[in-house]
């Protein structure tokens, strides 16, 4: 007697259908049609669905929100106005505002054949790439939120690294949210690293204005044979943000993927992080750090699928929950029949700092092959009293000692960052976060300036 | 410098210290010996403010202040140092960051400006040389992956850095090879001045061959049952603790 | 080597179930089907007081509105609840001399199962309640126990003779509408055991119930209730078997335990229902709700289970840790072979302060079976200083089976320390080789290694049963090589 799915978003789609489809490529629109059917069947998942047990997103996706379905453009030089938290790294930076790519935000020159730009535009220009990859990884037929994204998303970032190309500079995508009323944002990203390609990609998520944002962002990533991709997501949004981030990666033989997720500030975040190891001797390293306070809620739902033999995966997620915040973690590892000689390790450690903070964790192993080494561990606890006393016995104040220990707890995740400048930045951000100095966004003043600029432009 | 009067302390309603009185004056070295479970380490823990123990009676004065009223960090800032029997591993906190925080917190407490990075590094170098510690140890996380000997040397290095008025060495000699023992003892002896003092807690006489105590106290069942000069340590080494046990069995 | 392994695996799959015989006895049976009338008839047959009929009907009405749970990692074929016989009992033979005497045929049946019903023959220090299909046929050592005020009898007798106790506690731990199978059980349960240990009494012997399904097309719905008053102690064991049949039979039991201050209850199960044949045909559906409540401070409930039988197992013996300083334990070995499916584990619900729980689960999967651990550790807001440690290991024997781990950790109190660890692997080839090199056959080596692997759990069983359980595992594992 399953309740009828909530399909109020369909009304929204029907209303704006022409606008949504107008700019998109025929292939993208074809997937859109399939997604409409799927969404009609699935709706937005409530917490009655096992996978969404700890996060109910249903109440947030409401037609009253103001959807941003066209590129409203941006006048002026965004790079000069906005400086991200992670501004000291020498990167190729582009800006996405409310899910739409901003022209002229290209920084440096990329190697020949490397494409980094608007999903809308590049998907029309490169139908072959779209045909091969788009919609192949994101489960629009199974997950209502992915169906919704496929149905409504128009733009986002399109990254293509051709065979054996090495992009030295990190590619940084600054995702900005800005609006005057409660805003609904869809974003669709496609990342393809062809055989032997190498790239480091960084997504920074920020809010510029104080209204509510509901975000549905889906990223598909393809890491082809021998390719090597580092992916970083740094989320630093205000407490009125509700974000569904779906990240669906496919890895082919001997590829390496490092994916790192840092949630420093948010309202409600649900990340779906899926990795399919689809070629032998592929390696996946997935890590995450979530620091929550006030009434924040962060739910990382990760799924590593060992579909073929001889692959390795390593997963580490750590969380610190303060005030009345809640954390959730699901770590599903699936080893398919015949995926022999799989090595899969997973660990989830959590600190609860207050009486009202909560944590739910579900590490799951689902194993259908016998020659495997798999393990998972999960802990929920507090800081070590002995360590705290040791620090205090050296004259370090209790508060300072707590910060040191929290930082030490988080360090294991930070250590995994491979870009030294980025590591240093994150390290500082995390420390500031623990000191309570990172209330909204490290670049608050700059954010505000930018917000003012927006106001000005609006006039 | 330190005045302990009739100190009683318990853990989970079990009384461990049952009336200890002790005076330590500047320039002195006291050794506290006793069989296992006599309360030696508890005394160290209570003096430094470990909250696992509850003081039920008695007083402790340190440099004229009521020690028992102070938070552990303030006791440290007043110049009380404990070389832990089991130094705690703190992964992710580098020794440098740890020591710098400790030093500057102490300086702040004493109304001094924080040390600049270069001053601090110079101090680190100095003290490392003084206690003959490998520079490698200070590049790692606090005690993480250190061998038993390295941990104890690291304690002495921290003592050299913080320059305490009163240092308590809790079983610093246990599990040390002769080389590490020598390093630890040399460190202690080099840091010895007329205005500081040391309490050496130990089960064996061995460490006292290197660090000459002025007084030796025997702790048994939570009380000091015998106090004498350093010759008492030799006597204990020779006769073991059994005669003490016999003499003071209740 | 590979062909050797195949051959050995083949041998395991062909292993016969040694308890698969059927006893031809005259039975008193209802016709198939379930309705309020069926329930009234059961209650009447058992001469139950009115409150029991109400209890049953309430459960039945709740059940009608419920749906069969689908969250487990199991493929459960649709069950036609109208195609089941809800009451079957051996017909009493009038020519017996005393009330205490058991039909010789039934006695022979239990003898064959290794459960002698003569008190002088019984394993020393074990009292047995023997249940066949819907009724209890004999409870041994009742008088000996009664001397200490201990009540050990069938639940049917308890309902008649101690209605106040039953009324107070039945359904107090597992409410009638708790879940689909528990509701069904509450409506139609026919027999089971009742244990009451008075204040300050340490039960001098192991108490044990032996459940036997014999009749065809019947469902077995037994109900067990254990009440341990302040400062009491009891160790209880259940065993079970069924004949080999091509069709599936349903077993939906409920066990409730109440432990008061400083009371300790140890509940052990060696579950060996017919698992179905090597093609996965037949076998028992074992859908069981077991739950204990540590009501008093410093009370302790410990579950130990060795699960080797049943076609499908759906079972989560749980502890509600309500009293301060109460302790819950769960030790489990679950072995699946051929087409068996098991989804089993525990729930530890921490409500009181300073409560502790320990979970040790060892899964062994062979053949084409699917074996899942599912467990919940919940620390409620007020449960200060709760501690839990869980260790869930899975061992895979063969590449066609599955081993899965689904723990849920829900922590709502910051003073909690909860740790979960799980590993999945096959038996190390190096370990087997090492044994081979010392002259031990591969088969024996597997046995040795598996025995070592489950030791921590087996050690929790009372000694006689530990030996039985070990044998049972050995038989089930004969020849399986990783």
């Amino acid at each position: 007697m399953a309740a009828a799915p909530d399909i109020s978003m369909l009304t929204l789609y029907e209303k704006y259908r022409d606008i949504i489809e107008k700019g998109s490529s025929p292939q993208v629109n074809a997937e859109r049609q399939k997604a409409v059917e799927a969404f009609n069947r699935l709706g937005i998942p409530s917490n009655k669905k096992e996978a969404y047990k700890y996060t109910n997103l249903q109440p947030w996706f409401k037609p009253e929100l103001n959807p941003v379905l066209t590129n409203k453009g941006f006048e002026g030089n965004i790079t000069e106005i906005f400086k991200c938290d992670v501004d000291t790294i020498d990167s190729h930076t582009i800006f996405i505002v409310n899910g739409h790519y901003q022209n002229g935000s290209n920084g440096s020159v990329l190697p020949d054949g490397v494409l980094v730009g608007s999903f809308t535009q590049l998907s029309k220009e490169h139908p072959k790439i779209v045909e091969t990859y788009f919609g192949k990884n994101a489960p629009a037929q199974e997950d209502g939120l992915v169906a919704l994204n496929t149905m409504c998303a128009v733009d986002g970032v399109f990254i293509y690294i051709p065979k054996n190309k090495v992009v030295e500079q990190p590619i940084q995508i600054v995702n900005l949210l800005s609006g005057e009323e409660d805003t609904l944002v869809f974003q669709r990203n496609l990342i393809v690293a062809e055989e032997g390609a190498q790239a480091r990609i960084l997504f920074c998520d920020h809010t510029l204005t104080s209204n509510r944002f509901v975000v549905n962002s889906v990223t598909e990533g393809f890491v082809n044979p021998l390719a090597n991709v580092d992916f970083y997501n740094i989320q630093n949004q205000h407490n009125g943000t509700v974000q569904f981030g779906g990240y669906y990666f496919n890895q082919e033989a001997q590829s390496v993927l490092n994916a790192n997720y840092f949630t420093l500030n948010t309202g409600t975040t649900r990340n779906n992080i899926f990795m399919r190891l689809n070629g032998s001797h592929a390696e996946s390293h997935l890590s995450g750090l979530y620091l929550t306070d006030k009434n924040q809620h962060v739910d990382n739902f990760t799924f590593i699928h060992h579909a073929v033999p001889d692959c390795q995966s390593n997963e580490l997620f750590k969380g610190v929950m303060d005030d009345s915040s809640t954390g959730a973690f699901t770590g599903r590892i699936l080893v398919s029949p015949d995926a022999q000689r799989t090595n899969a390790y997973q660990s989830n450690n959590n600190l609860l700092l207050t009486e009202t903070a909560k944590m739910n964790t579900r590490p799951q192993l689902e194993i259908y092959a016998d020659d495997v080494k798999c393990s998972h561990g999960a802990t929920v606890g507090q800081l070590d009293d002995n360590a705290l006393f040791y620090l205090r016995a050296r004259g370090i104040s209790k508060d300072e000692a707590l910060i040191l220990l929290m930082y030490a707890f988080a360090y294991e995740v930070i250590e995994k960052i491979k870009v030294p400048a980025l590591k240093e930045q994150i390290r500082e951000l995390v420390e500031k976060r623990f000191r309570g100095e990172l209330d909204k966004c490290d670049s608050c003043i700059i954010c505000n300036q930018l917000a003012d600029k927006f106001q000005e432009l609006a006039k | 410098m330190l005045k302990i009067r009739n100190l009683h302390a318990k853990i989970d309603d079990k009384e461990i210290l049952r009336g200890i009185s002790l005076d330590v004056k500047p320039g002195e070295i006291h050794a506290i010996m006793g069989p296992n479970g006599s309360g030696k380490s508890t005394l160290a823990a209570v003096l430094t403010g470990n909250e696992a123990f509850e003081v039920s009676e008695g007083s402790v004065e340190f440099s004229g202040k009521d020690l028992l009223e102070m938070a552990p960090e303030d006791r440290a800032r007043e110049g009380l140092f404990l070389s832990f029997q089991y130094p705690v591993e703190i992964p992710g906190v580098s020794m440098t960051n740890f020591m710098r925080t400790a030093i500057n917190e102490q300086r702040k407490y004493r109304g001094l400006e924080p040390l600049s990075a270069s001053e601090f590094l110079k101090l680190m170098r100095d003290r490392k040389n003084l206690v003959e510690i490998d520079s490698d140890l200070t590049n790692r996380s606090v005690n993480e992956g250190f061998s038993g000997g390295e941990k104890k040397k690291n304690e002495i290095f921290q003592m050299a850095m913080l320059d305490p008025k009163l240092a308590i060495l809790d079983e610093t000699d246990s599990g040390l090879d002769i080389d590490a023992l020598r390093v630890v003892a040399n460190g202690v002896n080099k840091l010895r001045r007329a205005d500081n003092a040391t309490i050496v807690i130990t089960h064996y006489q061995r460490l006292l061959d290197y660090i000459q105590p002025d007084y030796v106290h025997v702790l048994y069942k939570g009380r000091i049952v015998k106090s004498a000069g350093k010759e008492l340590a030799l006597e204990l080494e020779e006769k073991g603790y059994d005669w003490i046990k016999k003499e003071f069995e209740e | 080597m590979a062909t050797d392994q195949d051959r050995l695996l083949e041998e395991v799959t062909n292993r016969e179930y040694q308890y698969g015989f059927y006893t031809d006895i005259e039975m008193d049976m209802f016709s198939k089907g379930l309705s309020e009338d069926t329930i009234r008839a059961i209650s009447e047959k058992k001469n139950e007081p009115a409150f029991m009929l109400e209890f049953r009907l309430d459960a039945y009405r709740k059940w009608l509105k419920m749906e069969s749970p689908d969250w487990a990692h199991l493929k459960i074929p649709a069950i036609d609840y109208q195609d089941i016989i809800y009451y079957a009992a051996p017909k009493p033979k009038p020519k017996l001399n005393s009330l205490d005497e058991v039909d010789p045929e039934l006695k022979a049946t239990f003898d064959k199962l290794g459960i002698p019903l003569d008190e002088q023959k019984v394993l020393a220090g074990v009292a047995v309640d023997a249940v066949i299909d819907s009724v209890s046929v004999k409870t041994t050592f009742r008088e000996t126990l009664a001397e200490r005020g201990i009540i050990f009898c069938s639940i049917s007798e308890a309902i008649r003779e101690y209605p106040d106790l039953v009324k107070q506690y039945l359904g107090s731990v597992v409410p009638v509408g708790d879940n689909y199978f528990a509701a069904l059980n509450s409506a139609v349960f026919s027999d089971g055991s009742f244990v009451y240990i008075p204040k300050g009494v340490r039960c001098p012997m192991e108490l044990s119930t032996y459940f036997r399904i014999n009749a065809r097309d019947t469902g077995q719905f037994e109900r067990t209730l254990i009440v341990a008053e302040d400062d009491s102690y009891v160790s209880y064991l259940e065993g079970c078997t069924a004949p080999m049949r091509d069709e599936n039979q349903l077993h939906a039991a409920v066990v409730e335990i109440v432990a008061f201050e400083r009371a300790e209850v140890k509940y052990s199960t060696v579950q060996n229902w017919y698992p179905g044949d090597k093609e996965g045909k037949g076998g028992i559906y074992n859908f069981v709700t077991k739950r204990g409540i540590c009501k008093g401070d410093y009370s302790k409930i410990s579950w130990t289970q060795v699960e080797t039988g049943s076609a499908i197992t759906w079972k989560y013996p749980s502890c509600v840790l309500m009293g301060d300083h109460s302790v819950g334990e769960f030790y489990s070995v679950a072995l699946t072979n051929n087409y068996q499916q098991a989804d089993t584990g525990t729930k530890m619900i921490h409500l009181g302060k300073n409560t502790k729980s320990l979970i040790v689960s060892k899964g062994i999967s062979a053949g084409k079976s699917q074996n899942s651990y599912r467990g919940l550790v919940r620390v409620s807001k007020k449960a200060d200083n709760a501690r839990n440690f869980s260790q869930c290991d899975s061992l895979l024997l063969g590449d066609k089976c599955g081993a899965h781990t689904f723990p849920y950790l829900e922590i709502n109190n910051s003073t909690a320390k909860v740790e979960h660890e799980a590993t999945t692997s096959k038996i190390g080839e190096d370990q087997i080789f090492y044994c081979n090199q010392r002259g031990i056959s591969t088969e024996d080596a597997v046995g040795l290694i598996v025995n070592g692997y489950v030791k921590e759990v087996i050690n929790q069983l009372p000694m006689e049963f530990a030996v039985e359980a070990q044998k049972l595992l050995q038989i089930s594992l004969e020849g399986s090589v990783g």
Side-chain angles (χ1 to χ4, degrees), chain C residues 288-305:
Chain C
V288 175
T289 305
K290 292 186 171 177
R291 192 178 302 151
I293 181 163
C294 283
K295 252 200 161 120
D297 295 352
Y298 296 96
S299 56
K300 177 177 176 183
I301 292 176
S302 177
W303 299 98
T304 303
Q305 60 172 26

Side-chain angles (χ1 to χ4, degrees), chain A residues 50 54 359 361 363 365 378 382, chain C residues 405 407-411 414 416 420:
Chain A
E50 186 67 11
Y54 297 120
M359 180 67 205
T361 172
L365 295 174
Q382 312 81 43
Chain C
T405 320
Y408 295 67
L409 280 59
E410 303 184 350
I411 315 304
S414 68
H420 170 94

